[in-house]
Amino acid sequence: MTRRLFRSSQAIETTEPGKTERQFVLMPSLLFLIGIIAYADRQILALLKPELDRIFGWTAADYASISSWSQAAIAVSLLVSGCVVDRLGIKKTLGFGLTGWSIATILHAAVRSVSGFLAVRVALGLFEGVGTPASMKAIRTTFPRETQGRMIGLLNAAPNLAAMGTPLIVALLFPILGWRGTIITVGASGLFCALLWFRFARVGDSEMAAVAIGHTEHTSLSTWRCVTGFALGKFLTDPVWWFLLFWLPDLLHRRFALEASSMGFPLAVAYGMAGIGSILGGYAPFLLTRAGYRHETARRVIMASAALCALPLPLLLTTSSLALGIAVCGLTLAAHQAFATNLFGFITEWAPTRMTGRATGVGAFAGNIGGALMLHLLGQFAVPGQSMKPVFAYCAVAYILGWFALALFAPVQKLLAQSRLSRPVPTI
């Protein structure tokens, strides 16, 4: 009886049912927890920015430089770590990456200058980039094809839970521990999670994905076209997510005069909506397939619907209502997560298994480069006297552009032609 987690469906059928159930609960639980830790580590600086502004006298350009270089570091790491995951496996790369970025988070408490914060943020980014390709390959090689979309949706909800819960945790810890103690506590939770991963993750040496669980290793489209469509979709849309992740607390502070102690609930609502969007993005194609749509057609319909939901975002610049401002931000975040869930579902479904890490790494690299460019440009638009209308205008149409980019390089008709040549594409 094999003890490997990644195995063919025949092996699954002959393995002790209770053990298989435990394994299929354990891996997504650990991946979900790691996703929460990763986004909490990224978000902590944004939440403490008003306090750090006061202590260190940061300018908008200083913060833009720190955040953009951090994104660039993550992007480089994603490009490299996708290959590392494919070659060395999931357990080692994700475990050591989690340990590294947690230590980098703790080191934030020791620095006192802009250059020091920039250095530790770059270190955090270099280690953190391993998370996406490792997690996507784990889903590809662990779960049957018909359930992967839902698993990606649930996994993508992890950062939303982190974004919703971290402000509440900061609001609780900051008055007691100060900014340094708050950062150390968050970083230490990552080290504890790394211990759980090394102790309990059951990843076999052969992380091969079984064609037997529903994957076709060849499509009628070349791999580069699938990867290019995925990468362009990420490049065009991820800047919106990073903009709101890094700048939403500051925007609420400027627009509605909210302080760090009073941001917890509004941010929790916005990122709670994002989590709902992630889960719905994973389940909605399944519901449409039951209504008669082909799977890939259903995915594109959901992505188009999500793209339209981002259009009201510029209302944040004109409304005096905090409730409306949070609503349009939350709707945009939900739209992003629904769109991103289906983008990742697309690439994990159609890219060859041997290239899953690299394909997701390239796309995530493109997304983070787009995010870094956005954060860098914000240093120019966020200064007093400048308007942020161009930034919000782009964010409103970004998902429409991303949808058309994917349609150009990976049209539904071509993918469905392949599914007719092999076997019907299962619903997720």
Side-chain angles (χ1 to χ4, degrees):
M1 185 188 313
T2 180
R3 293 178 61 86
R4 290 174 180 156
L5 179 61
F6 305 119
R7 54 187 175 270
S8 68
S9 59
Q10 288 88 346
I12 292 173
E13 288 172 3
T14 58
T15 304
E16 185 180 330
K19 185 179 293 185
T20 300
E21 262 184 45
R22 287 192 298 272
Q23 289 171 335
F24 273 68
V25 169
L26 180 63
M27 278 297 289
S29 299
L30 288 172
L31 291 171
F32 189 83
L33 180 59
I34 290 171
I36 291 175
I37 295 295
Y39 277 82
D41 288 343
R42 290 192 195 186
Q43 194 187 17
I44 190 72
L45 193 67
L47 293 169
L48 295 173
K49 181 181 179 293
E51 177 69 11
L52 298 176
D53 282 347
R54 184 184 65 81
I55 295 172
F56 298 108
W58 284 357
T59 65
D62 290 333
Y63 184 65
S65 177
I66 291 170
S67 55
S68 63
W69 278 105
S70 170
Q71 286 304 109
I74 294 173
V76 172
S77 176
L78 285 163
L79 193 62
V80 174
S81 60
C83 299
V84 175
V85 169
D86 284 338
R87 292 181 65 88
L88 300 183
I90 298 165
K91 185 167 185 175
K92 291 179 182 178
T93 50
L94 186 52
F96 286 117
L98 173 57
T99 301
W101 85 62
S102 298
I103 292 173
T105 300
I106 293 172
L107 289 177
H108 282 67
V111 298
R112 291 173 170 79
S113 65
V114 171
S115 59
F117 275 97
L118 192 150
V120 294
R121 294 301 286 185
V122 167
L124 184 148
L126 290 174
F127 282 106
E128 201 173 82
V130 72
T132 297
S135 297
M136 290 301 110
K137 184 154 188 172
I139 289 174
R140 166 74 183 240
T141 55
T142 304
F143 299 97
R145 187 182 189 184
E146 60 269 19
T147 66
Q148 288 176 8
R150 281 170 280 176
M151 289 308 308
I152 293 172
L154 290 172
L155 191 60
N156 273 352
N160 310 129
L161 182 61
M164 183 172 59
T166 305
L168 301 176
I169 293 172
V170 169
L172 177 66
L173 295 179
F174 176 70
I176 302 171
L177 302 177
W179 73 268
R180 288 190 174 90
T182 301
I183 285 178
I184 290 172
T185 302
V186 172
S189 66
L191 293 178
F192 176 72
C193 185
L195 291 176
L196 294 179
W197 173 260
F198 281 119
R199 172 65 181 85
F200 295 108
R202 295 291 181 262
V203 182
D205 294 330
S206 174
E207 291 171 0
M208 48 174 255
V211 176
I213 60 173
H215 284 284
T216 301
E217 293 295 292
H218 303 284
T219 72
S220 57
L221 287 176
S222 60
T223 300
W224 80 265
R225 289 190 61 171
C226 291
V227 174
T228 301
F230 171 64
L232 274 176
K234 294 291 287 178
F235 177 81
L236 292 167
T237 60
D238 274 16
V240 183
W241 173 261
W242 295 119
F243 164 52
L244 291 175
L245 182 68
F246 278 94
W247 283 87
L248 184 54
D250 191 62
L251 289 169
L252 295 179
H253 174 68
R254 294 186 188 193
R255 185 75 185 145
F256 304 105
L258 295 184
E259 299 298 331
S261 59
S262 57
M263 284 186 190
F265 181 73
L267 290 176
V269 171
Y271 288 107
M273 292 174 67
I276 294 171
S278 179
I279 294 172
L280 288 178
Y283 275 84
F286 164 73
L287 298 177
L288 287 184
T289 56
R290 297 188 68 175
Y293 285 82
R294 296 297 299 270
H295 172 59
E296 192 60 33
T297 302
R299 173 181 288 143
R300 303 303 173 93
V301 169
I302 297 304
M303 294 175 73
S305 302
L308 297 177
C309 288
L311 291 176
L313 181 63
L315 287 174
L316 180 64
L317 292 175
T318 58
T319 183
S320 59
S321 167
L322 175 61
L324 180 58
I326 292 299
V328 297
C329 289
L331 185 62
T332 302
L333 290 169
H336 173 86
Q337 289 297 80
F339 197 94
T341 293
N342 283 281
L343 265 182
F344 277 115
F346 162 78
I347 199 63
T348 56
E349 185 170 314
W350 295 106
T353 303
R354 69 184 184 280
M355 294 182 63
T356 302
R358 280 167 285 178
T360 55
V362 167
F365 163 80
N368 276 265
I369 287 294
L373 290 174
M374 169 68 85
L375 294 172
H376 178 72
L377 291 173
L378 281 167
Q380 311 299 320
F381 287 103
V383 298
Q386 293 294 322
S387 173
M388 295 189 73
K389 288 181 180 178
V391 175
F392 278 83
Y394 173 77
C395 291
V397 301
Y399 299 93
I400 295 174
L401 297 176
W403 190 92
F404 278 110
L406 184 62
L408 177 65
F409 284 91
V412 173
Q413 292 81 1
K414 291 282 188 180
L415 296 172
L416 293 183
Q418 173 60 26
S419 69
R420 285 192 293 269
L421 290 174
S422 54
R423 50 172 287 184
V425 179
T427 58
I428 62 172

